mmCIF file of all heavy atoms in Angstrom:
data_model
loop_
_atom_site.group_PDB
_atom_site.id
_atom_site.type_symbol
_atom_site.label_atom_id
_atom_site.label_comp_id
_atom_site.label_asym_id
_atom_site.label_seq_id
_atom_site.Cartn_x
_atom_site.Cartn_y
_atom_site.Cartn_z
ATOM 1 N N GLU A 89 -24.661 25.334 9.339
ATOM 2 C CA GLU A 89 -23.514 26.279 9.078
ATOM 3 C C GLU A 89 -23.479 26.704 7.603
ATOM 4 O O GLU A 89 -22.620 27.476 7.242
ATOM 5 C CB GLU A 89 -22.233 25.532 9.392
ATOM 6 C CG GLU A 89 -22.010 25.276 10.882
ATOM 7 C CD GLU A 89 -20.921 24.332 11.168
ATOM 8 O OE1 GLU A 89 -20.307 23.741 10.151
ATOM 9 O OE2 GLU A 89 -20.569 24.125 12.341
ATOM 10 N N GLY A 90 -24.512 26.257 6.807
ATOM 11 C CA GLY A 90 -24.669 26.797 5.487
ATOM 12 C C GLY A 90 -24.157 25.815 4.393
ATOM 13 O O GLY A 90 -24.000 26.262 3.232
ATOM 14 N N HIS A 91 -23.855 24.591 4.766
ATOM 15 C CA HIS A 91 -23.285 23.680 3.757
ATOM 16 C C HIS A 91 -24.366 22.740 3.188
ATOM 17 O O HIS A 91 -25.351 22.368 3.779
ATOM 18 C CB HIS A 91 -22.148 22.849 4.435
ATOM 19 C CG HIS A 91 -21.179 23.653 5.068
ATOM 20 N ND1 HIS A 91 -20.442 24.561 4.333
ATOM 21 C CD2 HIS A 91 -20.636 23.633 6.370
ATOM 22 C CE1 HIS A 91 -19.546 25.109 5.125
ATOM 23 N NE2 HIS A 91 -19.671 24.612 6.358
ATOM 24 N N SER A 92 -24.132 22.319 1.951
ATOM 25 C CA SER A 92 -24.912 21.215 1.338
ATOM 26 C C SER A 92 -24.204 19.889 1.696
ATOM 27 O O SER A 92 -23.010 19.890 1.778
ATOM 28 C CB SER A 92 -25.014 21.380 -0.182
ATOM 29 O OG SER A 92 -25.675 22.577 -0.476
ATOM 30 N N LEU A 93 -25.075 18.897 1.890
ATOM 31 C CA LEU A 93 -24.430 17.704 2.493
ATOM 32 C C LEU A 93 -24.946 16.408 1.824
ATOM 33 O O LEU A 93 -26.120 16.161 1.667
ATOM 34 C CB LEU A 93 -24.797 17.610 3.957
ATOM 35 C CG LEU A 93 -23.802 16.852 4.939
ATOM 36 C CD1 LEU A 93 -22.384 17.509 4.803
ATOM 37 C CD2 LEU A 93 -24.223 16.922 6.354
ATOM 38 N N VAL A 94 -23.990 15.541 1.488
ATOM 39 C CA VAL A 94 -24.260 14.130 1.084
ATOM 40 C C VAL A 94 -23.598 13.290 2.179
ATOM 41 O O VAL A 94 -22.435 13.467 2.510
ATOM 42 C CB VAL A 94 -23.652 13.859 -0.253
ATOM 43 C CG1 VAL A 94 -23.850 12.358 -0.627
ATOM 44 C CG2 VAL A 94 -24.243 14.696 -1.381
ATOM 45 N N VAL A 95 -24.358 12.338 2.709
ATOM 46 C CA VAL A 95 -23.905 11.455 3.785
ATOM 47 C C VAL A 95 -23.892 10.073 3.320
ATOM 48 O O VAL A 95 -24.890 9.573 2.810
ATOM 49 C CB VAL A 95 -24.756 11.628 4.998
ATOM 50 C CG1 VAL A 95 -24.220 10.717 6.159
ATOM 51 C CG2 VAL A 95 -24.859 13.068 5.536
ATOM 52 N N VAL A 96 -22.689 9.367 3.447
ATOM 53 C CA VAL A 96 -22.586 8.002 3.080
ATOM 54 C C VAL A 96 -22.430 7.230 4.368
ATOM 55 O O VAL A 96 -21.621 7.559 5.209
ATOM 56 C CB VAL A 96 -21.330 7.772 2.170
ATOM 57 C CG1 VAL A 96 -21.128 6.310 1.864
ATOM 58 C CG2 VAL A 96 -21.492 8.582 0.896
ATOM 59 N N VAL A 97 -23.170 6.118 4.473
ATOM 60 C CA VAL A 97 -23.127 5.334 5.716
ATOM 61 C C VAL A 97 -22.892 3.823 5.432
ATOM 62 O O VAL A 97 -23.272 3.305 4.414
ATOM 63 C CB VAL A 97 -24.345 5.458 6.624
ATOM 64 C CG1 VAL A 97 -24.489 6.828 7.219
ATOM 65 C CG2 VAL A 97 -25.592 5.093 5.888
ATOM 66 N N SER A 98 -22.187 3.230 6.434
ATOM 67 C CA SER A 98 -21.992 1.768 6.360
ATOM 68 C C SER A 98 -23.116 1.058 7.090
ATOM 69 O O SER A 98 -24.037 1.679 7.697
ATOM 70 C CB SER A 98 -20.686 1.376 7.035
ATOM 71 O OG SER A 98 -19.585 2.033 6.379
ATOM 72 N N ALA A 99 -23.142 -0.261 7.051
ATOM 73 C CA ALA A 99 -24.107 -1.092 7.788
ATOM 74 C C ALA A 99 -23.857 -0.867 9.264
ATOM 75 O O ALA A 99 -22.711 -0.679 9.746
ATOM 76 C CB ALA A 99 -24.002 -2.495 7.448
ATOM 77 N N MET A 100 -24.876 -0.991 10.096
ATOM 78 C CA MET A 100 -24.818 -0.845 11.511
ATOM 79 C C MET A 100 -23.866 -1.886 12.146
ATOM 80 O O MET A 100 -24.019 -3.081 12.021
ATOM 81 C CB MET A 100 -26.127 -0.917 12.216
ATOM 82 C CG MET A 100 -27.175 0.175 11.900
ATOM 83 S SD MET A 100 -28.788 -0.136 12.599
ATOM 84 C CE MET A 100 -28.377 -0.008 14.370
ATOM 85 N N GLY A 101 -22.889 -1.454 12.940
ATOM 86 C CA GLY A 101 -22.053 -2.208 13.765
ATOM 87 C C GLY A 101 -21.580 -3.560 13.094
ATOM 88 O O GLY A 101 -20.865 -3.490 12.066
ATOM 89 N N LYS A 102 -21.908 -4.716 13.653
ATOM 90 C CA LYS A 102 -21.494 -5.956 13.143
ATOM 91 C C LYS A 102 -22.563 -6.618 12.202
ATOM 92 O O LYS A 102 -22.583 -7.792 12.031
ATOM 93 C CB LYS A 102 -21.261 -6.959 14.311
ATOM 94 C CG LYS A 102 -20.252 -6.468 15.328
ATOM 95 C CD LYS A 102 -18.818 -6.404 14.701
ATOM 96 C CE LYS A 102 -17.769 -6.032 15.714
ATOM 97 N NZ LYS A 102 -16.423 -5.970 15.188
ATOM 98 N N THR A 103 -23.459 -5.769 11.623
ATOM 99 C CA THR A 103 -24.496 -6.320 10.740
ATOM 100 C C THR A 103 -23.950 -7.194 9.652
ATOM 101 O O THR A 103 -24.371 -8.267 9.367
ATOM 102 C CB THR A 103 -25.313 -5.170 10.211
ATOM 103 O OG1 THR A 103 -25.966 -4.454 11.199
ATOM 104 C CG2 THR A 103 -26.376 -5.689 9.178
ATOM 105 N N THR A 104 -22.890 -6.672 8.947
ATOM 106 C CA THR A 104 -22.290 -7.391 7.812
ATOM 107 C C THR A 104 -21.759 -8.753 8.315
ATOM 108 O O THR A 104 -22.007 -9.810 7.625
ATOM 109 C CB THR A 104 -21.245 -6.545 7.130
ATOM 110 O OG1 THR A 104 -21.787 -5.295 6.750
ATOM 111 C CG2 THR A 104 -20.638 -7.308 5.989
ATOM 112 N N ASP A 105 -21.050 -8.753 9.407
ATOM 113 C CA ASP A 105 -20.540 -10.081 9.954
ATOM 114 C C ASP A 105 -21.656 -11.030 10.206
ATOM 115 O O ASP A 105 -21.589 -12.253 9.908
ATOM 116 C CB ASP A 105 -19.776 -9.851 11.259
ATOM 117 C CG ASP A 105 -18.472 -9.047 10.960
ATOM 118 O OD1 ASP A 105 -18.012 -8.976 9.828
ATOM 119 O OD2 ASP A 105 -17.935 -8.478 11.965
ATOM 120 N N GLY A 106 -22.795 -10.486 10.742
ATOM 121 C CA GLY A 106 -23.954 -11.374 10.986
ATOM 122 C C GLY A 106 -24.560 -11.956 9.723
ATOM 123 O O GLY A 106 -24.992 -13.118 9.683
ATOM 124 N N LEU A 107 -24.646 -11.140 8.705
ATOM 125 C CA LEU A 107 -25.187 -11.541 7.405
ATOM 126 C C LEU A 107 -24.300 -12.598 6.772
ATOM 127 O O LEU A 107 -24.763 -13.599 6.185
ATOM 128 C CB LEU A 107 -25.353 -10.373 6.433
ATOM 129 C CG LEU A 107 -26.424 -9.362 6.877
ATOM 130 C CD1 LEU A 107 -26.417 -8.131 5.940
ATOM 131 C CD2 LEU A 107 -27.846 -9.983 6.870
ATOM 132 N N VAL A 108 -22.992 -12.442 6.857
ATOM 133 C CA VAL A 108 -22.066 -13.418 6.309
ATOM 134 C C VAL A 108 -22.204 -14.683 7.093
ATOM 135 O O VAL A 108 -22.195 -15.833 6.454
ATOM 136 C CB VAL A 108 -20.552 -12.910 6.466
ATOM 137 C CG1 VAL A 108 -19.584 -14.003 6.126
ATOM 138 C CG2 VAL A 108 -20.346 -11.708 5.501
ATOM 139 N N LYS A 109 -22.380 -14.668 8.387
ATOM 140 C CA LYS A 109 -22.555 -15.872 9.253
ATOM 141 C C LYS A 109 -23.861 -16.600 8.792
ATOM 142 O O LYS A 109 -23.881 -17.857 8.634
ATOM 143 C CB LYS A 109 -22.614 -15.477 10.714
ATOM 144 C CG LYS A 109 -22.705 -16.691 11.625
ATOM 145 C CD LYS A 109 -22.620 -16.157 13.079
ATOM 146 C CE LYS A 109 -22.601 -17.373 14.089
ATOM 147 N NZ LYS A 109 -23.963 -18.029 14.076
ATOM 148 N N LEU A 110 -24.910 -15.865 8.542
ATOM 149 C CA LEU A 110 -26.153 -16.503 8.098
ATOM 150 C C LEU A 110 -26.006 -17.197 6.718
ATOM 151 O O LEU A 110 -26.428 -18.361 6.642
ATOM 152 C CB LEU A 110 -27.233 -15.422 7.949
ATOM 153 C CG LEU A 110 -27.894 -14.919 9.258
ATOM 154 C CD1 LEU A 110 -28.837 -13.754 8.942
ATOM 155 C CD2 LEU A 110 -28.720 -16.038 9.963
ATOM 156 N N ALA A 111 -25.249 -16.517 5.896
ATOM 157 C CA ALA A 111 -25.049 -17.103 4.576
ATOM 158 C C ALA A 111 -24.323 -18.479 4.679
ATOM 159 O O ALA A 111 -24.678 -19.442 3.925
ATOM 160 C CB ALA A 111 -24.272 -16.201 3.607
ATOM 161 N N HIS A 112 -23.319 -18.506 5.535
ATOM 162 C CA HIS A 112 -22.504 -19.773 5.592
ATOM 163 C C HIS A 112 -23.235 -20.784 6.451
ATOM 164 O O HIS A 112 -22.810 -21.995 6.393
ATOM 165 C CB HIS A 112 -21.106 -19.433 6.217
ATOM 166 C CG HIS A 112 -20.215 -18.737 5.186
ATOM 167 N ND1 HIS A 112 -20.105 -17.417 5.098
ATOM 168 C CD2 HIS A 112 -19.443 -19.314 4.211
ATOM 169 C CE1 HIS A 112 -19.257 -17.122 4.085
ATOM 170 N NE2 HIS A 112 -18.840 -18.245 3.539
ATOM 171 N N GLU A 113 -24.253 -20.407 7.188
ATOM 172 C CA GLU A 113 -25.141 -21.442 7.823
ATOM 173 C C GLU A 113 -26.025 -22.134 6.755
ATOM 174 O O GLU A 113 -26.410 -23.287 6.947
ATOM 175 C CB GLU A 113 -25.933 -20.803 8.944
ATOM 176 C CG GLU A 113 -25.121 -20.462 10.154
ATOM 177 C CD GLU A 113 -25.979 -19.721 11.170
ATOM 178 O OE1 GLU A 113 -27.144 -19.544 10.957
ATOM 179 O OE2 GLU A 113 -25.374 -19.363 12.246
ATOM 180 N N ILE A 114 -26.271 -21.405 5.695
ATOM 181 C CA ILE A 114 -27.114 -21.938 4.636
ATOM 182 C C ILE A 114 -26.281 -22.709 3.620
ATOM 183 O O ILE A 114 -26.668 -23.788 3.137
ATOM 184 C CB ILE A 114 -27.860 -20.761 3.967
ATOM 185 C CG1 ILE A 114 -28.879 -20.160 4.891
ATOM 186 C CG2 ILE A 114 -28.585 -21.261 2.688
ATOM 187 C CD1 ILE A 114 -30.046 -21.006 5.300
ATOM 188 N N SER A 115 -25.093 -22.137 3.260
ATOM 189 C CA SER A 115 -24.299 -22.705 2.207
ATOM 190 C C SER A 115 -22.890 -22.583 2.545
ATOM 191 O O SER A 115 -22.410 -21.552 3.058
ATOM 192 C CB SER A 115 -24.625 -21.955 0.892
ATOM 193 O OG SER A 115 -23.702 -22.286 -0.118
ATOM 194 N N THR A 116 -22.039 -23.625 2.298
ATOM 195 C CA THR A 116 -20.666 -23.622 2.503
ATOM 196 C C THR A 116 -19.968 -22.704 1.486
ATOM 197 O O THR A 116 -18.926 -22.167 1.741
ATOM 198 C CB THR A 116 -20.054 -25.031 2.477
ATOM 199 O OG1 THR A 116 -20.410 -25.666 1.272
ATOM 200 C CG2 THR A 116 -20.524 -25.818 3.693
ATOM 201 N N HIS A 117 -20.537 -22.618 0.298
ATOM 202 C CA HIS A 117 -19.962 -21.798 -0.780
ATOM 203 C C HIS A 117 -21.101 -20.958 -1.384
ATOM 204 O O HIS A 117 -21.490 -21.238 -2.565
ATOM 205 C CB HIS A 117 -19.231 -22.683 -1.802
ATOM 206 C CG HIS A 117 -18.091 -23.406 -1.295
ATOM 207 N ND1 HIS A 117 -18.177 -24.665 -0.849
ATOM 208 C CD2 HIS A 117 -16.776 -22.987 -1.172
ATOM 209 C CE1 HIS A 117 -16.906 -25.048 -0.448
ATOM 210 N NE2 HIS A 117 -16.071 -24.111 -0.607
ATOM 211 N N PRO A 118 -21.533 -19.941 -0.753
ATOM 212 C CA PRO A 118 -22.607 -19.108 -1.320
ATOM 213 C C PRO A 118 -22.132 -18.354 -2.567
ATOM 214 O O PRO A 118 -20.976 -17.927 -2.642
ATOM 215 C CB PRO A 118 -22.984 -18.170 -0.191
ATOM 216 C CG PRO A 118 -21.774 -18.120 0.653
ATOM 217 C CD PRO A 118 -21.189 -19.484 0.610
ATOM 218 N N SER A 119 -23.038 -18.240 -3.500
ATOM 219 C CA SER A 119 -22.669 -17.590 -4.755
ATOM 220 C C SER A 119 -22.341 -16.056 -4.472
ATOM 221 O O SER A 119 -22.964 -15.472 -3.579
ATOM 222 C CB SER A 119 -23.795 -17.690 -5.751
ATOM 223 O OG SER A 119 -24.815 -16.817 -5.538
#
Side-chain angles (χ1 to χ4, degrees):
E89 293 169 352
H91 303 305
S92 296
L93 208 57
V94 175
V95 180
V96 177
V97 293
S98 301
M100 294 175 65
K102 301 293 185 181
T103 298
T104 301
D105 292 340
L107 293 173
V108 171
K109 184 174 183 292
L110 283 173
H112 285 94
E113 288 176 0
I114 295 292
S115 170
T116 54
H117 296 93
S119 77

